[in-house]
Amino acid sequence: MDKYLIRGGRPLQGQIEISGAKNAAVAIIPAVLMVDGVCRLENIPQISDVDMLLTILEELGARVRRVDATTVEIDCTHVHFADAPYELMRKIRASYYFIGSMLGRFGTAKTTMPGGCNFGVRPIDQHVKGMTAMGATVEIKDGFVYADTPDGRLRGAKVYLDKVSVGATMNIIIAASMARGRTIIENAAREPHIVDLANFLNSMGADVRGAGTDTVKIYGVDRLHGGTYTIIPDQIEAGTYMAACAAAGGELRLKNVIPRHLECISAKLREMGVTVVDGEDSVLVRSNGRLRRVNVKTQPYPGFPTDMQPQVSTALCLANGTSVITEGVYDNRYKYMKELRKMGANVVVDGCTAIIEGVDALRGARVAACDLRAGAAMVIAGLCAQGVTEIVDIHYIERGYEDFVGKLRGAGADITLVRDEQDAVAVAAAE
Ligand code: UD1
């Protein structure tokens, strides 16, 4: 089994270049299915979720050409409705965006129920509500999602989301871009990747207005044309390194970021006693010693992101005093706490609340990445811990962090990726 080995106790120093945003890329790539012409996407993150989505497009008949590590050209002009590679779709949460893009392009869709990280029940009822309001019949049966329209095209509609959902907001925007007439989404999510998706679609000829507010209006068009689009930097990747520096100590400059998107994270870190200085397209993070305890409540953007909860909670395991974490988005996102306890963390979980009593030190242990962000949290714990930490199930981490090990090593961390065959040798060397 592949794993990371970390020898903790080294502060982070230097600079790290932030990659393109995962959650923007994983919506934009499925949306390219609707584009008639060549679409050139720049600043694509090199992560396994992106690779899987590009493979799905290829299997559907798209021509995909890697121009360089972060640029890809996709031509979906001659794609026909076909059975998608369901085994791949099942593995990835963002495959739900194919419901929207297939409906937009073909007026009919068949996908699997989405996979991805498991933090409790993750229904897609709000996606279905949107597609149904736009005239589709949607049936979920035996793990598949079947959607169809009576005359091959969705029609604009008014959709009020019962729950602020990033995925449903983006899926409805995608589908509505090629619907007949105007769609209005009320109580829409406002994350930066929603604005990025709208900007991408608009640059290909769509008419999406109000993205980034809670009311989004989409005027359907007949055709989307090719073009070039650059994906925004990843807010959560940047936040993860900020939390790592706060926890492990040191001084890091994160380059290629949009500081405004990080404000919800920067504000919390400042409250924890960390110095965060915004630059034009960079942020500087400087640790000032032991962290101060804080309370954290996760909420939809611009609130504190649920995708940063495990990383900041891990940092707080070493803070001075008791912190209270309230998970306001998911009902089961604390599974990783039992791994942190193996490292000496003092945490009590009660439903959506976690109470963290700061300890003086964590100690290295063998722990698992329970999901993508929990895996990043384990890495942060390992960077701070005394001794060697071994992290297994790292495939979760590789879904969403480009070259995690390389970037951390560049900033002075003692972390090694051990591929299966090298196992024995590397473990021996670390012990
Ligand atoms: C996306 C992100 C994920 C992030 C989350 C919240 C992707 C691929 N994933 O996930 O990293 O943690 O946003 O920022 O972009 N819900 C429903 N019905 C629905 C949809 C959602 O009840 O139809 C609930 C969910 O169970 C959850 C909450 O709404 O409790 C928010 O989910 P949502 O914003 O939709 O998250 P995802 O799109 O799955």
Side-chain angles (χ1 to χ4, degrees), residues 192 235 257-265 278-280 283 301:
Q235 172 207 29
V257 299
I258 300 175
R260 188 168 34 88
H261 293 169
L262 299 173
E263 201 41 54
C264 42
I265 303 163
D278 292 348
E280 186 82 359
V283 287
Y301 190 83

Side-chain angles (χ1 to χ4, degrees), residues 22-46:
K22 165 186 171 282
N23 286 349
V26 299
I28 287 172
I29 293 169
V32 171
L33 186 67
M34 302 190 301
V35 176
D36 184 10
V38 177
C39 211
R40 182 184 167 101
L41 297 179
E42 298 175 345
N43 205 30
I44 288 270
Q46 298 177 74

Side-chain angles (χ1 to χ4, degrees), residues 19-30 41-58 64 66 68-72 74 88 91-95 98 231 234 398-402:
S19 302
K22 165 186 171 282
N23 286 349
V26 299
I28 287 172
I29 293 169
L41 297 179
E42 298 175 345
N43 205 30
I44 288 270
Q46 298 177 74
I47 53 176
S48 64
D49 268 16
V50 160
D51 293 339
M52 278 195 261
L53 288 166
L54 290 173
T55 307
I56 293 171
L57 275 185
E58 274 182 316
V64 176
R66 284 267 184 195
D68 58 42
T70 57
T71 308
V72 66
I74 308 170
L88 270 183
K91 288 189 182 144
I92 177 171
R93 179 94 195 138
S95 60
F98 282 106
I231 289 173
D234 197 305
E398 294 179 344
R399 282 189 38 217
Y401 287 92
E402 177 178 321

Side-chain angles (χ1 to χ4, degrees), residues 23 93 96 122-127 165-167 307 329-330:
N23 286 349
R93 179 94 195 138
Y96 53 38
R122 294 180 77 180
I124 59 162
D125 58 302
Q126 298 305 305
H127 303 236
S165 160
V166 172
D307 283 354
V329 178
Y330 292 108

Side-chain angles (χ1 to χ4, degrees), residues 24 56 87 94 180 189 193 258 263 275 289 419:
I56 293 171
E87 275 318 308
R180 201 176 284 124
H193 30 288
I258 300 175
E263 201 41 54
T275 300
R419 292 286 180 209

